[in-house]
Amino acid sequence: MGSEAPENLAMASSLQISFSSSTGETEEEELHVLAVDDSLIDRIVIERLLRSSAYKVTTAESGPRALELLGLGEEESYENPKVNMIITDYCMPEMTGYDLLKRVKESKTLKEIPVVIMSSENVPTRINRCLAEGAEDFILKPLKLSDVKRLRNHMIGMSQRCGLSV
């Protein structure tokens, strides 16, 4: 660890986005992740890992529930969901993670939100299909702390595309 270690630790522990409000003042916002998984145990593990890394977490048990939380349910609302990233299981009943990814990327209001797909199965065609459709990453389950640290890079990329500073 050279002289860079304290900077890296400070950067890793400061998981907030700074942005200018309409009044020109700088505000800070906790990074918010929507975690979607039909398995209660997996949702709990994901939530605990993300919270231990200072993320705000909202969980959903299905793709349709995630769409409701994002304002894309049966009755679409065009409200900003204030989610910085979506992490979703691939294989779920009702709607796959791939189908959720497609709906998010087709939305004018949500398409810039990074979507990460998780699966316990290492299927190259599935992985390539998700990445081609716009997924930021494909992570093999179980989710690990090292995976959570990688997620921050995707949110930094999103914030830079949207003109925010992390």
Side-chain angles (χ1 to χ4, degrees), residues 20-41:
S20 295
S21 68
S22 58
T23 61
E25 297 173 5
T26 299
E27 300 174 13
E28 293 206 352
E29 181 181 291
E30 204 176 8
L31 292 176
H32 185 189
V33 178
L34 174 60
V36 187
D37 201 309
D38 61 313
S39 163
L40 176 61
I41 292 171

Side-chain angles (χ1 to χ4, degrees), residues 79-141:
E79 197 175 304
N80 183 347
K82 301 199 182 205
V83 171
N84 303 101
M85 172 174 282
I86 300 164
I87 183 165
T88 181
D89 185 23
Y90 180 88
C91 190
M92 296 183 291
E94 294 182 70
M95 174 183 279
T96 67
Y98 175 76
D99 293 329
L100 176 60
L101 166 70
K102 284 176 46 176
R103 289 286 305 272
V104 169
K105 295 305 176 182
E106 290 168 356
S107 166
K108 290 178 184 176
T109 57
L110 304 175
K111 66 183 175 185
E112 293 301 320
I113 297 174
V115 178
V116 174
I117 306 287
M118 303 175 294
S119 180
S120 56
E121 300 171 353
N122 187 0
V123 181
T125 53
R126 179 182 293 172
I127 295 168
N128 291 335
R129 188 170 85 155
C130 289
L131 294 173
E133 192 64 42
E136 293 290 322
D137 205 346
F138 194 102
I139 296 175
L140 289 176
K141 286 179 164 183

Side-chain angles (χ1 to χ4, degrees), residues 139-156:
I139 296 175
L140 289 176
K141 286 179 164 183
L143 189 69
K144 299 174 283 308
L145 190 56
S146 58
D147 296 322
V148 172
K149 290 178 181 177
R150 269 187 15 217
L151 297 178
R152 184 172 196 279
N153 293 331
H154 298 303
M155 285 189 260
I156 289 170

